[in-house]
């Protein structure tokens, strides 16, 4: 039961209206509680809920920057195949170079190297379909005809695309690591 109100000498100032709090999930960490968010993120990460973990780690990092949290952000992005973001996050962690996390820094450097070596996927489509694709200076065409998905190392590449009875066409492309892109070619009859 509430205590009876005592008469006041002067009227109390009206309370400032407070916005209704968003209903929190049971046991959910409060926004701004970096430690609770980190712990929640770790649990989700271990349960392979990388999207949930990433959200918690990013909120934890926003509340209080920490190298361990930055590393988990990178690993969550990596597991979600968000490779460009993961590399940026790993590199931020590596730049912080926390003295007590040298093994993790070395591990992160190796992972960045591995991600940057991942081939990109190039979907080559032609009108009409069934064209051959010669990659860079290869002496023979790629083993499959269009439409075809080809994995290429990161960097600049030249695709020579041709079919019987059509003019050859050349496409210059830049392939990013772990990327996906499309190349479309309209072949012209000879």
């Amino acid at each position: 039961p509430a205590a009876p109100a005592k008469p006041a000498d002067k009227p109390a100032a009206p309370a400032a209206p407070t916005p209704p709090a968003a209903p929190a999930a049971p046991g959910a960490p409060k926004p701004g509680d970096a430690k609770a968010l980190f712990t929640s993120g770790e649990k989700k990460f271990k349960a392979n809920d990388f999207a949930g973990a990433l959200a918690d780690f990013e909120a934890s990092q926003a509340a209080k920057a920490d190298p361990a949290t930055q590393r988990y952000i990178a690993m969550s992005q990596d597991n979600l195949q968000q490779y460009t973001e993961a590399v940026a996050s790993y590199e931020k962690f590596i730049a912080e170079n926390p003295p007590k996390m040298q093994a993790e820094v070395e591990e992160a450097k190796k992972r960045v190297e591995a991600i940057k070596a991942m081939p990109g996927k190039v979907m080559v489509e032609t009108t009409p379909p069934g064209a051959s694709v010669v990659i860079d200076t290869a002496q023979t065409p790629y083993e499959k005809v269009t439409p075809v998905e080809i994995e290429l190392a990161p960097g600049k590449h030249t695709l020579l695309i041709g079919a019987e009875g059509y003019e050859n066409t050349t496409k210059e492309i830049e392939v990013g690591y772990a990327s996906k892109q499309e190349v479309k070619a309209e072949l012209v009859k000879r």
Side-chain angles (χ1 to χ4, degrees):
K6 294 180 183 171
D9 292 337
K10 58 183 178 182
T18 54
K30 294 179 182 75
D33 184 345
K35 189 173 183 179
L37 287 160
F38 182 86
T39 302
S40 173
E42 265 188 324
K43 283 181 187 163
K44 290 175 183 174
F45 187 89
K46 288 174 182 162
N48 294 333
D49 173 9
F50 302 115
L54 179 59
D56 284 351
F57 289 131
E58 285 175 334
S60 175
Q61 188 74 345
K64 182 177 186 284
D66 179 75
T69 308
Q70 184 61 46
R71 178 173 166 264
Y72 264 117
I73 289 170
M75 293 189 310
S76 297
Q77 291 165 330
D78 194 347
N79 280 292
L80 291 166
Q81 298 180 0
Q82 298 171 355
Y83 297 118
T84 305
E85 297 87 346
V87 165
S89 295
Y90 279 127
E91 287 176 339
K92 194 171 178 184
F93 168 69
I94 292 164
E96 290 178 29
N97 200 14
K100 293 181 179 175
M101 298 182 79
Q102 289 308 297
E104 291 86 349
V105 168
E106 289 308 310
E107 186 181 292
K109 287 178 183 176
K110 287 179 183 155
R111 186 61 190 144
V112 167
E113 272 181 47
I115 292 171
K116 286 186 173 181
M118 288 178 162
K121 293 182 180 184
V122 180
M123 183 66 188
V124 183
E125 295 181 23
T126 59
T127 305
S132 297
V133 181
V134 177
I135 301 161
D136 298 326
T137 57
Q139 298 300 306
T140 57
Y142 189 71
E143 67 262 18
K144 295 180 184 153
V145 296
T146 62
V148 63
E149 186 174 75
I150 302 171
E151 286 193 354
L152 294 172
K156 292 182 189 290
H157 295 279
T158 302
L159 304 180
L160 177 64
I161 304 167
E164 191 70 41
Y166 291 86
E167 297 286 331
N168 286 344
T169 185
T170 302
K171 297 282 184 179
E172 301 284 334
I173 60 171
E174 177 80 31
V175 177
Y177 59 85
S179 65
K180 289 185 179 189
Q181 63 180 298
E182 289 184 2
V183 173
K184 295 185 186 237
E186 193 90 21
L187 300 179
V188 180
K189 282 195 176 207
R190 280 190 207 152

